[in-house]
Amino acid sequence: MDRDRDYHNSYGGAGGGGYDGGHRRMAGRRPVTDYGSTMVQWMRHRRPRYKGGFILEAERPSASYVVDMLPPAARLDKAVDTIPAKHIHQSWNKNRHPINIVRWTPEGRRCLTGSSSGEFTLWNGMAFNFETIMQAHDSAIRAAAYSHSEDWLISADQDGVVKYWQPNFNNVKAIQAHSDPIRDIAFSPNDAKFITACDDATLKIFNFAAGTEESTLTGHNWDAKSVDWHPTKGLIVSGSKDHQVKLWDPRTGRCLTSLHGHKNTVARTAFEPTRGQLLATCARDQTARVFDLRMMRDVCLLRGHEKDISTLTWHPFHTSLLTTGGSDGSIFHYLLDEPNSPPGVIPSIPAYDHPDSSNAPAQTIYPAHRIQYAHEFAVWSLSWHPLGHILASGSNDRATHFWTRPRPGDTKYSSDEWHVGKAAAEAQGTWDRRGARRSMREEEEQEFEDEVEGLVDQKMPAKQPILPGLPGLTAAPTITRDGTSTGGAQIRQQSQLPGMPGFPAGSAPPNRIAKMDPSEFAALMAEGKLPVPSPFGGAGQGIPPPPPNFDFSKLPPGMLPPAFQLPPGFPPMPPPSFNGPGLQAMGTDGGGAGSIRRRAPLPSQQESLMMEQRQGKYRIAR
């Protein structure tokens, strides 16, 4: 199946009228990373593990073995073949903001990013092109997590608000969980509860269905920066600015133990998702540690970073592959079963092989692969594709990068600008500055075209009860009381329709009306002889005389009092009418202060199909 896409308006290549002095790129094709062929290859030839697992020839470093590539799930004993050392794409929005959260959707078709502007952006999981964007939060998105059932997404922001999202990104609930920024969020193994970590130094457990707080875990002496729930057990881990890693019992809210392995702020804590026997932590002391829950001690000390470590992630299949991201933009990959000690350093002995394993020092592990220039600024989030073949990274440099394993026989990746830097790569001839700028402009043009096609401007209505069938109309008109009348507050009705005024908000009514008897006032109102206060000010003045041949029918409703009788000779006024769902007469300019640029969520495939069937399409099975 051809998944390439043509772009006819991108710049570069041959032609005229482009950016670089008359260069215009011909209609090209976007490269894609398709995992279908490797999955089919594995499913056709795999066997049970007790029979050997696989019958094909072993992969060798030659380009002819590209057709024999296998997914990570087929090589559980070879984590080194899964290390994502090759850069394949970088994506950014038209309006760039730091990327705080990167999450793959459960089915792996899209990659979700959350930015400091409160926006969700979806990128295609194969071609990495823009798909859609929406304003998810009013402040910076700080945390997001998918449920284990793959039916829900929860996200948290700088204001302490947690929102529930369906797979089609329909927001169904929002709760004020904290008053301070939420730094991390995690689901329980059965998705019945979730926990949040906040800058107020507390952890809160919420009932997911009810959206209510069940318990608060206190014990940290400073901001709680990270939290994770064990994949199968009732065990919670949290990291804080007080340099401590704590394990909690979610049933009783009691702190089970505190781990004092770090000397600075703990940035990230994560349980190993496959077996759940290991716990990884990273901190701003330039180290990461791996704890064995069975021994309740650190067994691995990960070194190599020259700056603070800001995040880490486990591989979904390989329990020995751990990836970290640094505040200097570097990404390091560690193999826990290979020390990879640099020359001149004596490898340390694993705690498991030591005669006194409880008192043995942690084994020092060095990176199996380094991507020193992966980003220009701090890496905030890392996320693996559900199949484990692509790693997505989000950074403070406002870009989302995608990484994968190099093809057999590919050796050029180790000398590109991501590994040795732009200056060194340009000196080696593996990177062209002018060509890179032209390529970046081409990619920007492609991303901008995709974003223009996917964006939808819509007005955000006020958060009030609405009338069924009439979007934007509140259930009841707004009634305000002036308090200017001695005989009772003067009632004024405000119209809820944009662009249509209500009754005039003039100055105080004349004194003779305020002192009038209520029965006389009602009689004058019924006869239409009551003078209306001037909207131009001046108490006691009525409406100024109209110009000659003035058409009162052009006045909007509400400008004249009830039962008002037109003088003889004037054309009659048309009755008020509403155009139903269209309401074309109101606020179509979109220039008011309440007009906010918003993006539409993804449409549901089932809803779209039902809409087409209502029009008589797709009713006959082919």
Side-chain angles (χ1 to χ4, degrees):
M1 180 178 181
D2 186 10
R3 296 183 181 271
D4 295 341
R5 181 172 180 179
D6 295 336
Y7 290 87
H8 302 281
N9 297 323
S10 300
Y11 291 88
Y19 284 116
D20 297 334
H23 293 281
R24 185 176 181 85
R25 186 174 63 89
M26 300 295 291
R29 296 189 175 187
R30 180 191 294 274
V32 301
T33 303
D34 189 0
Y35 54 83
S37 59
T38 60
M39 292 296 296
V40 171
Q41 179 86 338
W42 176 45
M43 296 177 65
R44 288 183 59 186
H45 299 282
R46 65 178 177 176
R47 296 189 303 177
R49 293 186 181 179
Y50 69 90
K51 292 185 178 181
F54 204 72
I55 60 176
L56 290 183
E57 184 180 357
E59 181 181 307
R60 298 184 182 183
S62 175
S64 60
Y65 284 85
V66 171
V67 295
D68 295 329
M69 292 179 63
L70 297 176
R75 296 177 177 272
L76 298 179
D77 57 339
K78 294 184 179 180
V80 66
D81 291 342
T82 311
I83 293 179
K86 184 177 179 60
H87 180 269
I88 49 178
H89 195 266
Q90 59 179 341
S91 301
W92 52 78
N93 298 101
K94 183 176 182 180
N95 299 320
R96 302 182 185 180
H97 300 278
I99 306 300
N100 298 331
I101 292 298
V102 176
R103 295 290 183 270
W104 285 92
T105 56
E107 78 283 354
R109 294 184 178 180
R110 300 177 180 91
C111 182
L112 171 70
T113 61
S115 67
S116 60
S117 63
E119 294 174 329
F120 274 159
T121 305
L122 281 174
W123 306 96
N124 187 278
M126 288 188 178
F128 315 110
N129 60 292
F130 172 88
E131 286 203 356
T132 189
I133 189 172
M134 60 177 295
Q135 189 72 35
H137 288 264
D138 296 330
S139 59
I141 300 174
R142 294 297 180 186
Y146 273 97
S147 63
H148 298 86
S149 64
E150 304 178 357
D151 293 332
W152 294 97
L153 169 70
I154 53 176
S155 58
D157 63 13
Q158 182 79 12
D159 296 334
V161 177
V162 175
K163 291 190 176 183
Y164 293 20
W165 305 88
Q166 291 177 330
N168 61 348
F169 291 91
N170 178 32
N171 181 216
V172 297
K173 182 181 289 188
I175 61 176
Q176 186 71 42
H178 296 265
S179 57
D180 292 325
I182 297 176
R183 296 298 177 177
D184 206 355
I185 196 167
F187 267 104
S188 64
N190 59 358
D191 297 335
K193 308 178 190 304
F194 66 90
I195 186 170
T196 58
C198 181
D199 278 354
D200 59 8
T202 63
L203 309 172
K204 289 186 178 181
I205 298 178
F206 291 84
N207 183 292
F208 176 75
T212 57
E213 177 185 346
E214 289 192 349
S215 61
T216 301
L217 310 183
T218 58
H220 282 294
N221 300 321
W222 216 342
D223 303 353
K225 294 298 185 181
S226 178
V227 70
D228 194 18
W229 206 310
H230 195 277
T232 58
K233 296 178 175 59
L235 185 63
I236 293 173
V237 63
S238 63
S240 171
K241 201 174 181 180
D242 59 5
H243 313 173
Q244 295 183 13
V245 177
K246 291 182 178 291
L247 295 174
W248 308 82
D249 183 357
R251 301 175 182 85
T252 62
R254 183 171 60 94
C255 178
L256 301 177
T257 186
S258 297
L259 305 176
H260 302 272
H262 293 285
K263 300 178 181 179
N264 209 322
T265 301
V266 179
R268 179 71 175 163
T269 58
F271 288 108
E272 197 277 314
T274 305
R275 300 178 181 176
Q277 298 175 354
L278 302 178
L279 166 66
T281 63
C282 66
R284 295 181 179 176
D285 56 4
Q286 305 176 13
T287 63
R289 292 180 180 268
V290 177
F291 294 84
D292 193 324
L293 299 178
R294 299 166 296 181
M295 304 171 62
M296 203 55 67
R297 55 149 299 174
D298 54 340
V299 293
C300 294
L301 174 62
L302 310 185
R303 294 187 177 275
H305 279 276
E306 300 176 357
K307 299 292 184 179
D308 302 344
I309 302 179
S310 53
T311 185
L312 58 81
T313 184
W314 291 94
H315 191 271
F317 298 115
H318 300 294
T319 59
S320 62
L321 180 55
L322 185 66
T323 303
T324 60
S327 60
D328 57 352
S330 60
I331 296 178
F332 289 177
H333 303 286
Y334 295 87
L335 295 176
L336 302 185
D337 51 1
E338 297 182 10
N340 294 298
S341 301
V345 177
I346 301 175
S348 56
I349 302 175
Y352 304 106
D353 300 336
H354 200 276
D356 188 6
S357 60
S358 59
N359 298 321
Q363 183 185 19
T364 303
I365 306 293
Y366 292 91
H369 188 83
R370 305 168 186 251
I371 309 178
Q372 191 66 46
Y373 303 93
H375 287 272
E376 296 180 1
F377 298 103
V379 180
W380 293 132
S381 183
L382 296 169
S383 181
W384 280 98
H385 190 279
L387 293 179
H389 68 297
I390 296 178
L391 176 68
S393 59
S395 169
N396 201 39
D397 62 2
R398 301 171 173 83
T400 304
H401 288 196
F402 297 90
W403 313 84
T404 188
R405 60 157 295 186
R407 291 184 173 184
D410 185 3
T411 58
K412 297 180 180 180
Y413 68 90
S414 59
S415 58
D416 60 10
E417 68 271 23
W418 314 107
H419 287 78
V420 300
K422 294 181 179 179
E426 187 175 14
Q428 295 177 6
T430 57
W431 183 71
D432 180 22
R433 186 177 299 273
R434 183 176 180 182
R437 291 176 180 175
R438 181 166 60 249
S439 176
M440 181 176 295
R441 283 194 291 266
E442 294 175 4
E443 292 181 0
E444 285 181 351
E445 287 291 331
Q446 293 177 358
E447 301 295 350
F448 294 169
E449 289 178 9
D450 294 340
E451 187 166 353
V452 168
E453 294 175 1
L455 293 184
V456 175
D457 291 340
Q458 57 183 1
K459 292 193 175 213
M460 298 300 293
K463 297 181 179 180
Q464 298 179 359
I466 60 175
L467 291 175
L470 295 177
L473 294 184
T474 55
T478 303
I479 304 296
T480 59
R481 297 181 179 272
D482 295 335
T484 56
S485 176
T486 58
Q490 190 73 18
I491 299 177
R492 179 171 67 249
Q493 179 177 354
Q494 297 179 353
S495 173
Q496 300 296 329
L497 302 180
M500 296 181 65
F503 292 102
S507 59
N511 293 333
R512 68 184 186 86
I513 298 180
K515 300 178 181 179
M516 189 179 298
D517 183 77
S519 60
E520 182 182 359
F521 181 83
L524 290 177
M525 287 287 293
E527 297 177 2
K529 298 180 180 180
L530 183 68
V532 180
S534 173
F536 307 101
Q541 298 180 2
I543 296 180
N549 301 325
F550 181 77
D551 189 0
F552 278 90
S553 62
K554 296 182 178 180
L555 289 176
M559 289 297 295
L560 298 177
F564 179 80
Q565 300 293 332
L566 294 175
F570 282 91
M573 294 182 60
S577 61
F578 300 96
N579 295 329
L583 297 177
Q584 302 175 358
M586 43 174 174
T588 56
D589 54 352
S595 178
I596 304 176
R597 184 178 178 85
R598 290 294 187 266
R599 278 86 172 184
L602 282 177
S604 170
Q605 296 183 0
Q606 184 177 4
E607 294 176 357
S608 302
L609 178 60
M610 294 175 63
M611 186 179 299
E612 294 290 336
Q613 289 179 345
R614 294 192 193 102
Q615 300 177 2
K617 303 178 182 179
Y618 306 109
R619 290 185 172 273
I620 302 177
R622 297 183 178 180

